Amino acid sequence: MRPLVLFDLDNTLVDRQRALTDWVAGYQPHHGLSCEQRRWLFGLLADRAAPAHFELIRKRFGLAQSADSLWHDYCRDLAATVICPPDVLSGIEELRTRGWRIGIVTNGATDIQTAKLRTTGLADRVDAVCISEEAGVRKPDPALFLTAARRCGISGHEEGSWMVGDNPVNDIGGGRSAGFRTVWIHRGFSWPAGLPGPDYQVPDARAAIELLISRRLQRKELVP
C-alpha cells in the first residue's frame, strides 16, 4: 500500500508571513502609506486574505482601483514573492520516488492559493490539492482532509496516512480528527497548553519529510 501524506501550505511548505511582509513593504512606496497604515494592512491580512478585505483597503486608503482589481494585483504580486525552499521541493520529489501519495490541503481563497502553488512549482509535484474555498469546507473540519485523501486516490482514511502542518488546531487537531497521524511544524514555538499533542514535532517541512522517510524505512524493516 502506498502511504499518504497531506501537507498544509502556508507557513509549512512556504513562508507566508515573510511573503506578506515583503508585499506590504512593496505596497508602501507605491501608495505612500504611513507606518501606522502599514501595520493596519499587515494585521488585516495576517491570518488570511480574501477579496472582501480589498474593499476595506480601497476605502481606508481612498484608492481609485476597484476591489476586484486590487485583489487580482495582490494574488499576482504576493505569489511572485512566495518561495518553497529548494530542499523542500527536492524532498517532495524524493517522497514521490519512494512511492508516497502527496496532497496539499489548505484553507484560503482559490485564486491566491492556486497562484502560490503554480509559482513555487508545488502544483506539479503533488498528486492533488484541496483548497477550502473550492471544496466548501475549512480545516479543522475532517471532511476537508478526507476529500484531499480521495483526490489522492485513497477512499477514506487508511493506515499509514499523515498530516503535516503548523497550526495546532486546524492542521494537527483536524488531521487527528480525520484519523491521520500528525507532524507539527513548530517554527520555534511551544505546543499550546491544554491541547492534545501531535505524534511528532519538527522545526520545518524538510525535517518532516526526513522523518516520514525514516519512519517508512523502519516500518519496512519490521515487516517479515
Side-chain angles (χ1 to χ4, degrees), residues 43-190:
L44 178 69
L45 304 177
D47 291 332
R48 59 182 297 202
H53 290 129
F54 286 81
E55 181 60 30
L56 297 176
I57 292 170
R58 187 187 69 80
K59 292 178 178 178
R60 171 91 180 216
F61 301 143
L63 303 178
Q65 279 182 271
S66 68
D68 286 344
S69 176
L70 291 170
W71 169 250
H72 174 79
D73 289 350
Y74 169 80
C75 292
R76 179 197 64 210
D77 296 340
L78 185 79
T81 69
V82 172
I83 297 172
C84 182
D87 63 341
V88 174
L89 290 175
S90 63
I92 288 175
E93 291 171 354
E94 183 176 356
L95 285 173
R96 294 197 71 175
T97 63
R98 291 176 178 272
W100 285 75
R101 298 174 193 253
I102 304 170
I104 293 177
V105 55
T106 175
N107 285 346
T110 304
D111 290 349
I112 183 59
Q113 301 303 72
T114 299
K116 293 176 196 173
L117 292 165
R118 289 175 177 167
T119 300
T120 57
L122 285 165
D124 299 325
R125 289 173 167 84
V126 299
D127 296 292
V129 171
C130 198
I131 301 172
S132 64
E133 184 182 59
E134 55 87 11
V137 62
R138 290 178 57 83
K139 294 183 291 186
D141 192 318
L144 191 65
F145 301 89
L146 297 176
T147 298
R150 286 192 295 272
R151 291 181 182 182
C152 288
I154 295 177
S155 57
H157 165 67
E158 294 184 11
E159 185 181 356
S161 298
W162 295 79
M163 175 62 203
V164 178
D166 72 296
N167 189 291
V169 175
N170 289 345
D171 298 321
I172 305 307
R176 181 189 298 106
S177 296
F180 291 76
R181 301 192 73 183
T182 56
V183 182
W184 181 48
I185 307 296
H186 61 68
R187 297 186 294 130
F189 293 98
S190 298

Side-chain angles (χ1 to χ4, degrees), residues 24-25 27-29 33-43 61:
V24 170
Y27 209 69
Q28 188 275 335
L33 306 184
S34 66
C35 290
E36 180 182 354
Q37 288 172 325
R38 292 200 305 272
R39 286 194 294 270
W40 177 85
L41 181 59
F42 184 91
F61 301 143

